Amino acid sequence: MLLTETWLDNSCSATVLIEAAPPNFNFLNVSRVTRRGGGIAAIFNDTIQCNKISLGEFNSFEYLCTVVKTSPSILLVTIYRPPKNCAHFIDDFSELLSIICTGFSSFILTGDFNIHIDNPNDNTAKEFCALLDTFELLQHVTGPTHTRGHTLDLVISKGLSIPVVNV
């Protein structure tokens, strides 16, 4: 299970996630340290070997990068982009995609991107979708994920078959 906006800080995240996870499950997380809100976590069965890695620092979004030890390894990246418009998000995200596509042939990116990708008139959405096309990525969510009918939460992949996505 991949979570965004956990609102956990370093003083309580381990306790909360231990209590939230079922027996025989582990977790990885990233807490926002500069202000309230944000935060990302992954909760997974302890039979699955997962390692957290860093791919650099990006100011326009938070992320948790998890390598799932399978054959071959799969990279899971969970992203939370705060709703305030950040002029350099596309550049930051492009840099992250360059790093990922260079090092991994199979990966899933998921999270709350706070971009109305369903709105063909939204310039950020257009740039974002063009970036996905440039890297030959597939975006799997087709319906609204927000109470106001927009698609903000995404599942993006490369090198994997993902038949059905319900968010």
Side-chain angles (χ1 to χ4, degrees):
M1 179 181 336
L2 305 170
L3 307 169
T4 61
E5 293 189 83
T6 61
W7 282 63
L8 301 175
D9 61 36
N10 288 331
S11 69
C12 70
S13 62
T15 303
V16 170
L17 290 169
I18 288 169
E19 290 177 4
N24 303 318
F25 277 70
N26 291 322
F27 66 88
L28 298 170
N29 76 299
V30 174
S31 298
R32 182 184 285 177
V33 293
T34 57
R35 61 188 190 276
R36 291 183 49 196
I40 299 169
I43 300 174
F44 51 92
N45 190 294
D46 64 9
T47 61
I48 301 170
Q49 186 180 0
C50 295
N51 296 321
K52 181 166 82 171
I53 63 169
S54 175
L55 299 175
E57 291 194 25
F58 303 94
N59 293 324
S60 61
F61 59 89
E62 302 167 31
Y63 76 97
L64 172 62
C65 195
T66 308
V67 176
V68 180
K69 298 290 186 173
T70 58
S71 184
S73 293
I74 298 172
L75 184 71
L76 297 176
V77 182
T78 308
I79 293 176
Y80 174 64
R81 177 184 172 266
K84 284 190 175 181
N85 191 20
C86 180
H88 58 275
F89 168 73
I90 295 296
D91 292 335
D92 283 354
F93 192 60
S94 178
E95 183 179 341
L96 177 68
L97 291 177
S98 294
I99 294 166
I100 291 170
C101 288
T102 300
F104 295 87
S105 58
S106 301
F107 57 86
I108 297 172
L109 292 112
T110 186
D112 182 353
F113 287 82
N114 277 306
I115 297 173
H116 297 171
I117 67 153
D118 57 295
N119 182 351
N121 298 317
D122 184 309
N123 288 331
T124 303
K126 285 189 233 180
E127 287 182 77
F128 183 82
C129 291
L131 188 59
L132 297 182
D133 288 343
T134 298
F135 284 94
E136 298 177 344
L137 305 179
L138 297 175
Q139 197 294 111
H140 301 274
V141 179
T142 58
T145 62
H146 187 264
T147 56
R148 294 193 178 137
H150 291 290
T151 306
L152 311 177
D153 304 295
L154 308 176
V155 177
I156 301 163
S157 71
K158 184 167 189 171
L160 298 167
S161 176
I162 300 177
V164 177
V165 174
N166 291 316
V167 178

